[in-house]
């Protein structure tokens, strides 16, 4: 096998919401594999923070302010990227939010907001890049899904609905555009130590581990939280020619959570 199939040399990758966390780690790996990195985030402060982090590790990334829930802003950004950098070969729909609120206390507006960022925005971004991918003859779209694409839990109804929907959007993009040599796959991270999950890992006043932290370690055969770096290899694979016949798949990177019924009493 030609190992160059894993290379991203000459590819342009747009990772949404990639100033820090999972998106940043994926972008770092793409840069190491040879890709040109483009990212956006919701405000200038985050973009500046991202640009500094990329520069600190020697990556010449292009950063833009763009709210991925705005069809107009995303359309304009894609045009700008095409003019300033080139046609996007790889889109990673990474930007996301979570609200942990018991469902009967959650307003419809709060529910809609989560669906807007976690489900509608990947639709908007994918829709914006697919026409040029069709013209170019290839494209990779990677949607960052979740354990909640498969499982439910208390307080995350909107997030689970969105990430479950994102799994099916992934399969539908594959179904609709696979014939144009576009592969759309998902990555389902397990519980990853990022700012998004920090409240679930906070030390207790007596110095003990947060009960949720203990719960996740017990529920994960790997017996640890994931790190954003754990997602790098799978993300490179799904962006590269090595995965050209992998389509509509969700690759769970979860230390085994979905395989495990939980510790016996
Ligand atoms: P995160 O806090 O979810 O980071 C996502 C980034 O997206 C942030 O910079 C965020 O800005 C930005 N963003 C939010 N709304 C946006 C919008 N409308 N337009 C543009 N950017 C926007 O951190 P993460 O933990 O690295 O999560 C990345 C992705 O992985 C998310 O989709 C998340 O759901 C998913 N995920 C995370 C885990 C985990 O355990 N951490 C597990 C499974 C899946 P702000 O900082 O202003 O919010
Ligand atoms: C939660 C978590 C999640 C994770 C992740 C799991 O409150 O249960 O924040 O849902 O971040 O998406 O894969």
């Amino acid at each position: 096998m030609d190992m160059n199939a894993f290379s991203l040399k000459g590819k342009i990758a747009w990772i949404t919401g990639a100033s820090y966390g999972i998106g940043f780690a994926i972008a770092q790996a793409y840069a190491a594999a040879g890709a040109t990195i483009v990212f956006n985030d919701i405000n200038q402060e985050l973009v500046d923070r991202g640009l500094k982090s990329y520069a600190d590790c020697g990556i010449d990334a292009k950063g833009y302010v763009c709210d991925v829930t705005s069809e107009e802003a995303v359309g304009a950004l894609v045009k700008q990227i095409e003019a300033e950098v080139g046609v996007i070969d790889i889109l990673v729909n990474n930007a996301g939010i979570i609200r942990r609120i018991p469902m009967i206390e959650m307003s419809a507006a709060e529910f809609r907001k989560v669906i807007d960022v976690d489900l509608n925005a990947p639709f908007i971004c994918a829709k914006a890049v697919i026409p040029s991918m069709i013209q170019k003859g290839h494209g990779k779209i990677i949607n960052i899904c979740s354990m909640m694409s498969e499982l439910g839990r208390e307080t995350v109804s909107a997030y689970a609905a969105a990430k479950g929907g994102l799994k099916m959007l992934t399969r539908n993009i594959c179904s609709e555009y696979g014939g144009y040599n576009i592969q759309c796959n998902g990555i389902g991270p397990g519980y990853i130590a990022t700012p998004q999950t920090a409240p679930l890992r906070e030390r207790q006043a007596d110095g003990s581990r947060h009960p949720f932290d203990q719960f996740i370690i017990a529920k994960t055969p790997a017996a640890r939280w994931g790190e954003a770096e754990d997602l790098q290899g799978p993300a490179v694979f799904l962006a590269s020619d090595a995965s050209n016949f992998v389509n509509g798949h969700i690759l769970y990177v979860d230390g085994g959570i979905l395989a495990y019924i939980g510790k016996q009493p």
Side-chain angles (χ1 to χ4, degrees):
M1 182 196 170
D2 180 2
M3 295 307 280
N4 285 324
F6 289 93
S7 168
L8 301 182
K9 210 157 177 246
K11 307 283 190 200
I12 296 170
W14 171 29
I15 303 107
T16 68
S19 296
Y20 67 90
I22 289 173
F24 179 75
I26 289 175
Q28 272 184 308
Y30 284 0
T36 298
I37 304 304
V38 177
F39 73 98
N40 73 288
D41 222 309
I42 187 81
N43 58 47
Q44 192 63 52
E45 202 185 326
L46 275 171
V47 171
D48 289 345
R49 175 179 156 193
L51 285 171
K52 182 171 180 324
S53 305
Y54 286 105
D56 285 349
C57 48
I59 299 169
D60 183 19
K62 287 239 181 240
Y64 300 91
V65 176
C66 177
D67 179 345
V68 286
T69 65
S70 160
E71 193 168 13
E72 201 187 340
V74 167
L77 176 63
V78 169
K79 279 208 181 86
Q80 193 179 354
I81 295 170
E82 288 184 356
E84 291 178 5
V85 190
V87 170
I88 295 158
D89 300 286
I90 303 159
L91 163 67
V92 181
N93 279 310
N94 167 77
I97 59 170
I98 190 165
R99 298 285 179 266
R100 299 183 184 99
I101 307 170
M103 188 181 134
I104 59 173
E105 291 165 26
M106 188 171 209
S107 69
E110 288 167 323
F111 189 91
R112 274 193 202 102
K113 176 71 189 166
V114 175
I115 301 288
D116 211 21
V117 179
D118 293 358
L119 181 57
N120 294 345
F123 159 78
I124 289 170
C125 294
K127 183 185 159 190
V129 299
I130 286 171
S132 295
M133 287 179 170
I134 291 176
Q135 269 193 340
K136 203 171 176 181
H138 75 90
K140 299 275 186 184
I141 299 173
I142 297 159
N143 293 325
I144 304 302
C145 298
S146 165
M147 292 292 89
M148 273 63 218
S149 298
E150 300 293 337
L151 302 170
R153 88 166 186 86
E154 301 80 354
T155 74
V156 297
S157 57
Y159 187 79
K163 295 292 188 178
L166 187 56
K167 173 180 70 177
M168 287 313 300
L169 178 65
T170 303
R171 291 179 180 166
N172 214 84
I173 293 172
C174 152
S175 307
E176 217 166 329
Y177 297 103
Y180 294 94
N181 194 24
I182 292 173
Q183 290 84 48
C184 181
N185 292 288
I187 291 180
Y191 277 80
I192 310 295
T194 69
Q196 194 246 57
T197 54
L200 307 175
R201 285 177 284 107
E202 261 169 17
R203 286 272 168 189
Q204 303 298 278
D206 64 1
S208 63
R209 301 185 90 114
H210 192 294
F212 197 90
D213 184 355
Q214 297 180 29
F215 162 67
I216 288 304
I217 288 171
K219 183 72 185 84
T220 309
R224 66 169 176 87
W225 285 69
E227 299 296 331
E229 289 70 24
D230 288 315
L231 302 163
Q232 291 177 318
V236 169
F237 168 63
L238 290 179
S240 73
D241 287 345
S243 62
N244 280 352
F245 203 54
V246 180
N247 211 350
H249 184 76
I250 311 297
L251 177 48
Y252 289 101
V253 185
D254 65 351
I257 293 178
L258 290 178
Y260 185 39
I261 194 169
K263 237 180 210 5
Q264 65 183 45

